[in-house]
Amino acid sequence: MARTENSVTFLRSDYQESAFSIKSVKLDIALNPAKTIVVNRMMVSKKLVGVNSTLVLNGQEQELVSVRINDEPYRGYELTPETLTLHDLPDEFELSITSTCAPDKNTSLMGLYISNGNFFTQCEAEGFRKITYFLDRPDVMATYQVTLRALKTDFPVLLSNGNLIKEEELGNGWHAAVWEDPFPKPSYLFALVAGKLTAIERVIKSQSGKDKLLQVWVEAKDLEKTEHAMESLIASIRWDEKRYGLELDLDRFMIVAVGDFNMGAMENKGLNIFNTKFVLANPETATDVDYANVESVVAHEYFHNWTGNRVTCRDWFQLSLKEGLTVFRDQEFSADQMGSDSGKAVKRIEDVRLLRQVQFPEDAGPMAHPIRPDSYQEINNFYTVTVYEKGAEIVRMQQTLLGQDGFRKGMDLYFKRHDGQAVTCDDFVAAMADANHKDLEQFKRWYSQAGTPRVHVKESFDGNTYQVHFTQSCAATPGQDKKLPFHIPLLYKLIGTDQVGQENLFELRDEKQTLTFKGLSKKPTLSINRHFSAPIILDFEQSEEELLTLLREDDDAFNRWESAQKLFIQAILNNRDLDPALIEALRSVLNDEKLDAAFKDLVFTLPAESYLYEQVDVIDPQLIHQSRRKVRSQLALNLQGEWLKTYQKNSSTESYKADAISAGKRSLKNLSLNMLLDSQHEASQKLALEQYQSANNMTDRYGALSAMVQNASGYAKECLDHFHQYFESDALVIDKWFGLQASRQPELNNPSSVLAHVIQLRQHPDFHIKNPNRARSLIHAFCMNNPGAFHQPDGKSYQFWAQQVVELNEINPQVAARLARALNRWKQFSPSYQNHMKSALKFVSEHKNLSSDVAEVINKALNS
């Protein structure tokens, strides 16, 4: 491994198998917030018998009490703040280590920690070493038996991985529970939970007829918000049985919700621990988006039971092996839950919007990396949209190339070969290739090359022969100056000719290739990269007439949406008014009875500012922001009558339903309300207030409140105050309250008003920076999700950002490192912004106690 100024760089090429294996682990954990005692008994063996290997165990923030080998004291160890090293070991032995840790002082929320008086763990990627000394790496897999002991009055519920095999009273108010996980797992999948919790339960029969106990554990006050999570879990189990023939393998499966959590959720074997944000939902407190997110994240973590747990990663460089594959699986599940082809298209569009808004900029910035990186300094920084969302796209391309049946054959072979193993991305692709007799060697470049490929398309037509000329390229990324051609699957269809065919697949493999069609009487309109079949930047200049043809006639809903996006981008970046023909085409979309409401909503959702930044060489954020606002106002004003009709048509007094059709109607209705306020329709202010006051669900209440806040309604402050007072005891709703104010668009005559308000809210008694959800709801929402307010010419927002990064760095380095990415692309901005950004980056870089998580992000930004 190579050393840098601030940290160690780990190289994929340096991977070496451990000289030791651990067959079984028995943990005895006496839980105490100030001093938890952990006794760890491991059956260890050398892989090469007779070789005098040294065993180096990982350990952090622990106090070592004793080490015993075969029940005899062992004192020949070396101890550092990071490792415990043992020498002169027998070929097979029982290693017993006793240590203590202090969960109540653990603000990093990695390892064992306290939240609201209860114990929780987070071990991925390297948190287990904060609980006990261990070979804390994903390729060391062992069976676990865990005994948890605690005061029963304080911690009546004791949970760990696997199946419950024993409970007992210990005297003096203490009790114990013994859990056994029969499946070998790496230490990152270990979990325990202890505290005052209650559960909703269901017993279902698996596909093979076995009874399975399902539980969702929460604090008692939240029990009535768990039904949707339970239904989502059952739906996920049924879908995985039907789609891939995969059953739940344990007697029970548990979900636990916690308010302090760095991630969305964690797939610990049989004991999934979730951020409350992705478990708790009822109509009064959760929006349609929240409901969809709960369903998606529950599915994601459950699907990990096979793609991540039963087959896991050899090393952390292979992270996308489990994450990209499982994101793809949860996307497919969510699409199937939509209930219609148009609903599936809506899901696909939403996934692509996220990829373009967040992953494309990452691919073009200083933190760019392949989905299987060759090196890292801090593994926590590689839980990225590249590994997850781009990883999912690369799995999806394999399904496109092989077909759904072929992909299933590849999955079957993957599990047959590797169940119970820690493997690599190459092993996954090999299973796909071998099961289908398909050469995917060139395709593997998607795993090793960073950056977003750019495909240039040029057409020619001579009255008979139509040709499409493709050229692919990929810009240099850190450490990779030259890229070899990718294997790119492009779905296409010709529209508007006398030889309109079916959708076809074109495999672009070379730097330059040409598609030729003969015998055409007129030039067709090309619908290319249908369904977003490849995660590329498509350079294809089509006329406004051709784009309008696609908007009106394309049977691929994705490309129909895409054509509108391209027309919006042209207007915004050229700072010009929308063409009347486009307005009329959009009017037709809004009035089309056959189109799904959710699809209409997405058609009128303008490209995000972060995505618009990727379309220019030098970013002037205020120019883009103001031009985008102008286009939105034109849509609002020119279609004002249609917005009122659409609002009225999609309004309903029926009881709340969380299904996709109802959610789509609410989404379109709230967009219409926003447009009416933007156009200053005379009835809009009263409509918004009435909707807020009479809403029977959070989607409509929050939709009305958001419309009032974003459009500076005179009723906004009154309703914000009421919202806070009414929901002050619900942390997740108060997160929405903070987030809405942090993400509002700036006043035209007072652009710094949002920053001033965020600084004021930073001092609010309900703001708690140690809670990741609350920090994200205010600080991240402003700095990372509100570019129009954040990127101001005076640079004061950047100073605010720097101060928050430094403060969070001392509390929770992972949360700080996410925030630190806000200025990654500073060199792409115009010089006046660059100077302020560089100053803020240097301020952070000069902080004396900078964590490795934050240091890596900041240093890569400054040195890019």
Side-chain angles (χ1 to χ4, degrees):
M1 54 186 71
R3 291 197 171 271
T4 65
E5 181 181 350
N6 293 290
S7 60
V8 175
T9 297
F10 297 90
L11 303 176
R12 184 166 62 90
S13 59
D14 283 347
Y15 170 81
Q16 289 186 338
E17 187 179 344
S18 172
F20 293 84
S21 62
I22 300 176
K23 181 179 180 181
S24 63
V25 177
K26 289 187 177 180
L27 296 174
D28 191 310
I29 304 175
L31 293 161
N32 181 292
K35 188 175 183 179
T36 288
I37 302 172
V38 181
V39 180
N40 176 9
R41 293 182 177 88
M42 299 169 274
M43 294 306 300
V44 186
S45 61
K46 293 178 181 176
K47 291 181 178 176
L48 294 176
V49 175
V51 175
N52 187 15
S53 304
T54 297
L55 176 57
V56 181
L57 301 176
N58 307 104
Q60 294 176 0
E61 299 175 23
Q62 299 177 60
E63 182 179 334
L64 181 63
V65 176
S66 68
V67 180
R68 300 177 73 87
I69 292 181
N70 294 331
D71 214 25
E72 295 292 330
Y74 175 87
R75 296 183 178 86
Y77 59 78
E78 298 169 22
L79 184 65
T80 75
E82 302 281 337
T83 59
L84 172 64
T85 303
L86 289 72
H87 305 279
D88 301 320
L89 299 167
D91 290 339
E92 290 187 349
F93 56 97
E94 182 188 66
L95 174 59
S96 178
I97 299 174
T98 302
S99 60
T100 68
C101 58
D104 62 353
K105 292 185 174 63
N106 184 3
T107 63
S108 72
L109 309 185
M110 289 292 293
L112 179 63
Y113 65 94
I114 298 287
S115 174
N116 199 25
N118 299 320
F119 284 97
F120 299 92
T121 56
Q122 172 57 36
C123 292
E124 188 177 1
E126 297 175 339
F128 192 69
R129 64 190 62 185
K130 291 188 174 187
I131 299 172
T132 185
Y133 291 92
F134 200 74
L135 280 172
D136 191 9
R137 45 189 286 172
D139 61 345
V140 176
M141 302 175 72
T143 59
Y144 283 68
Q145 186 181 97
V146 180
T147 300
L148 301 178
R149 308 172 190 272
L151 277 170
K152 191 170 186 177
T153 54
D154 294 338
F155 310 104
V157 174
L158 302 174
L159 308 176
S160 193
N161 308 86
N163 300 316
L164 178 64
I165 61 174
K166 184 180 180 182
E167 292 180 291
E168 61 180 330
E169 302 297 323
L170 301 176
N172 296 321
W174 282 65
H175 71 135
V178 182
W179 292 81
E180 186 173 69
D181 187 351
F183 296 98
K185 67 172 179 280
S187 56
Y188 81 86
L189 291 172
F190 169 79
L192 75 81
V193 171
K196 295 177 180 177
L197 301 169
T198 188
I200 181 176
E201 295 184 345
R202 296 279 184 86
V203 176
I204 66 168
K205 284 194 182 295
S206 69
Q207 192 169 254
S208 60
K210 297 176 182 177
D211 284 344
K212 304 291 181 180
L213 173 63
L214 311 179
Q215 297 174 312
V216 180
W217 291 90
V218 295
E219 294 180 23
K221 64 182 176 62
D222 294 323
L223 190 63
E224 54 88 24
K225 299 178 183 176
T226 56
E227 189 66 32
H228 182 61
M230 177 62 80
E231 292 300 325
S232 299
L233 175 58
I234 294 171
S236 304
I237 293 170
R238 296 306 185 209
W239 185 87
D240 220 16
E241 289 176 335
K242 181 179 179 181
R243 181 74 172 264
Y244 292 107
L246 301 174
E247 285 195 4
L248 173 59
D249 51 4
L250 292 166
D251 296 340
R252 70 170 70 197
F253 190 91
M254 300 171 283
I255 288 173
V256 182
V258 55
D260 296 289
F261 205 66
N262 286 340
M263 303 180 177
M266 177 61 207
E267 72 266 19
N268 319 296
K269 182 70 178 178
L271 179 59
N272 288 185
I273 300 178
F274 275 64
N275 191 319
T276 50
K277 182 177 180 179
F278 298 110
V279 172
L280 307 181
N282 69 11
E284 187 178 44
T285 61
T287 65
D288 292 331
V289 172
D290 294 326
Y291 270 84
N293 286 341
V294 169
E295 180 181 76
S296 174
V297 177
V298 167
H300 180 94
E301 305 309 331
Y302 174 74
F303 296 153
H304 264 313
N305 189 55
W306 282 91
T307 50
N309 297 3
R310 288 286 289 259
V311 183
T312 196
C313 303
R314 185 195 73 176
D315 53 66
W316 291 122
F317 298 99
Q318 318 296 330
L319 182 58
S320 197
L321 173 77
K322 72 183 184 79
E323 294 301 348
L325 176 55
T326 305
V327 169
F328 166 75
R329 276 158 46 74
D330 82 56
Q331 288 176 350
E332 290 285 275
F333 164 79
S334 294
D336 284 347
Q337 300 307 108
M338 298 296 284
S340 67
D341 288 341
S342 59
K344 289 183 179 182
V346 167
K347 172 61 179 162
R348 186 68 186 126
I349 292 166
E350 290 172 345
D351 292 337
V352 173
R353 288 184 69 232
L354 174 63
L355 190 81
R356 285 175 167 174
Q357 290 170 209
V358 186
Q359 196 280 320
F360 278 21
E362 183 169 271
D363 244 353
M367 291 294 288
H369 58 277
I371 70 163
R372 183 193 59 201
D374 292 320
S375 66
Y376 65 79
Q377 293 173 19
E378 175 50 64
I379 185 56
N380 291 322
N381 285 335
F382 278 83
Y383 285 76
T384 62
V385 285
T386 296
V387 165
Y388 281 66
E389 273 68 30
K390 185 176 180 180
E393 294 298 320
I394 289 169
V395 173
R396 182 178 297 278
M397 283 191 288
Q398 291 173 73
Q399 179 170 272
T400 299
L401 287 167
L402 303 174
Q404 189 167 304
D405 290 342
F407 186 80
R408 168 66 190 270
K409 285 167 59 180
M411 289 287 281
D412 289 347
L413 182 58
Y414 176 63
F415 293 124
K416 182 179 179 181
R417 284 179 174 177
H418 302 299
D419 188 13
Q421 298 177 12
V423 299
T424 68
C425 295
D426 286 336
D427 292 320
F428 176 79
V429 179
M432 288 291 153
D434 293 348
N436 292 277
H437 308 290
K438 175 83 170 177
D439 180 5
L440 295 176
E441 198 59 33
Q442 181 183 354
F443 184 85
K444 291 199 298 187
R445 291 173 186 167
W446 284 101
Y447 286 87
S448 59
Q449 295 186 156
T452 306
R454 186 177 290 271
V455 176
H456 181 76
V457 178
K458 188 174 181 180
E459 303 168 289
S460 63
F461 181 64
D462 65 3
N464 177 270
T465 301
Y466 171 65
Q467 290 188 312
V468 187
H469 310 279
F470 297 91
T471 306
Q472 65 160 300
S473 61
C474 188
T477 53
Q480 292 185 339
D481 292 335
K482 184 171 176 56
K483 310 294 173 67
L484 295 172
F486 289 84
H487 181 179
I488 303 174
L490 293 170
L491 290 169
Y492 73 92
K493 188 173 183 180
L494 305 184
I495 294 174
T497 76
D498 52 1
Q499 292 186 11
V500 172
Q502 298 299 311
E503 182 177 85
N504 292 296
L505 174 64
F506 172 64
E507 298 184 37
L508 177 60
R509 292 173 174 266
D510 301 329
E511 184 179 335
K512 295 184 178 182
Q513 279 178 252
T514 298
L515 262 176
T516 300
F517 304 89
K518 293 183 179 293
L520 273 64
S521 60
K522 64 177 181 177
K523 180 181 176 295
T525 298
L526 177 63
S527 174
I528 187 72
N529 204 27
R530 292 163 66 84
H531 321 294
F532 200 69
S533 57
I536 60 172
I537 297 170
L538 191 66
D539 286 338
F540 183 22
E541 290 188 13
Q542 290 176 289
S543 68
E544 184 167 325
E545 182 181 347
E546 288 173 315
L547 291 173
L548 287 172
T549 295
L550 293 172
L551 177 58
R552 288 188 294 256
E553 300 178 21
D554 202 335
D555 61 352
D556 173 26
F558 177 84
N559 266 3
R560 196 172 183 184
W561 168 82
E562 177 84 313
S563 63
Q565 294 291 294
K566 289 181 177 179
L567 290 164
F568 288 144
I569 289 170
Q570 291 173 10
I572 293 168
L573 296 184
N574 292 304
N575 197 21
R576 68 170 189 240
D577 291 343
L578 295 174
D579 189 278
L582 174 58
I583 295 290
E584 291 311 306
L586 291 170
R587 194 188 310 276
S588 297
V589 167
L590 203 52
N591 291 328
D592 191 335
E593 300 286 343
K594 298 176 184 177
L595 290 178
D596 190 278
F599 176 74
K600 294 180 184 181
D601 174 60
L602 285 172
V603 167
F604 285 93
T605 302
L606 296 180
E609 287 171 56
S610 60
Y611 182 57
L612 291 166
Y613 292 173
E614 300 306 304
Q615 316 307 312
V616 297
D617 294 327
V618 178
I619 299 167
D620 184 328
Q622 284 306 310
L623 185 64
I624 288 174
H625 175 72
Q626 298 301 336
S627 182
R628 185 178 182 276
R629 284 180 75 165
K630 185 179 78 171
V631 166
R632 194 172 192 278
S633 293
Q634 289 175 46
L635 288 173
L637 196 58
N638 281 281
L639 299 171
Q640 190 183 73
E642 279 73 18
W643 291 125
L644 183 58
K645 291 176 186 176
T646 303
Y647 179 83
Q648 293 167 339
K649 182 177 180 180
N650 288 280
S651 295
S652 172
T653 57
E654 293 181 3
S655 298
Y656 177 83
K657 295 178 183 177
D659 63 277
I661 293 175
S662 301
K665 289 180 178 179
R666 283 188 290 270
S667 182
L668 183 59
K669 176 185 70 176
N670 286 315
L671 172 68
S672 301
L673 181 61
N674 241 304
M675 288 294 194
L676 287 168
L677 280 161
D678 192 306
S679 70
Q680 298 183 357
H681 187 279
E682 58 183 1
S684 61
Q685 298 241 4
K686 189 175 180 182
L687 279 177
L689 180 62
E690 288 175 351
Q691 178 176 312
Y692 176 84
Q693 293 173 334
S694 64
N696 65 0
N697 62 83
M698 177 55 75
T699 300
D700 283 343
R701 188 186 298 274
Y702 186 79
L705 181 63
S706 176
M708 287 187 281
V709 170
Q710 294 294 353
N711 293 282
S713 165
Y715 298 119
K717 186 180 185 309
E718 170 192 338
C719 292
L720 274 170
D721 291 344
H722 173 269
F723 190 86
H724 180 272
Q725 183 179 3
Y726 190 77
F727 293 106
E728 62 183 346
S729 62
D730 192 306
L732 293 177
V733 180
I734 297 303
D735 286 340
K736 298 181 194 301
W737 183 80
F738 278 105
L740 175 57
Q741 295 175 84
S743 59
R744 68 177 184 175
Q745 60 185 3
E747 300 170 16
L748 293 175
N749 58 351
N750 186 14
S752 299
S753 59
V754 183
L755 172 62
H757 194 51
V758 168
I759 292 172
Q760 184 181 0
L761 287 170
R762 182 72 177 71
Q763 305 304 316
H764 194 281
D766 286 342
F767 182 80
H768 311 292
I769 197 169
K770 290 183 179 180
N771 176 263
N773 283 355
R774 193 56 49 88
R776 287 187 284 256
S777 73
L778 181 65
I779 300 170
H780 290 62
F782 172 67
C783 297
M784 304 190 77
N785 300 327
N786 191 357
F790 180 63
H791 293 295
Q792 293 295 329
D794 61 11
K796 290 182 179 177
S797 293
Y798 307 144
Q799 297 170 21
F800 171 80
W801 164 85
Q803 293 160 0
Q804 307 313 301
V805 171
V806 168
E807 183 172 356
L808 282 165
N809 173 77
E810 301 295 329
I811 298 167
N812 190 323
Q814 283 192 41
V815 175
R818 292 286 174 184
L819 181 63
R821 292 170 179 258
L823 300 190
N824 269 357
R825 305 296 305 281
W826 67 281
K827 288 186 177 179
Q828 195 180 341
F829 284 73
S830 59
S832 60
Y833 292 92
Q834 275 191 29
N835 294 334
H836 292 305
M837 289 180 176
K838 187 175 183 180
S839 176
L841 285 161
K842 283 190 171 182
F843 175 85
V844 177
S845 71
E846 292 166 359
H847 183 64
K848 291 182 179 178
N849 298 317
L850 212 57
S851 66
S852 59
D853 305 62
V854 175
E856 179 178 19
V857 176
I858 297 297
N859 290 337
K860 283 185 174 180
L862 281 170
N863 298 321
S864 62

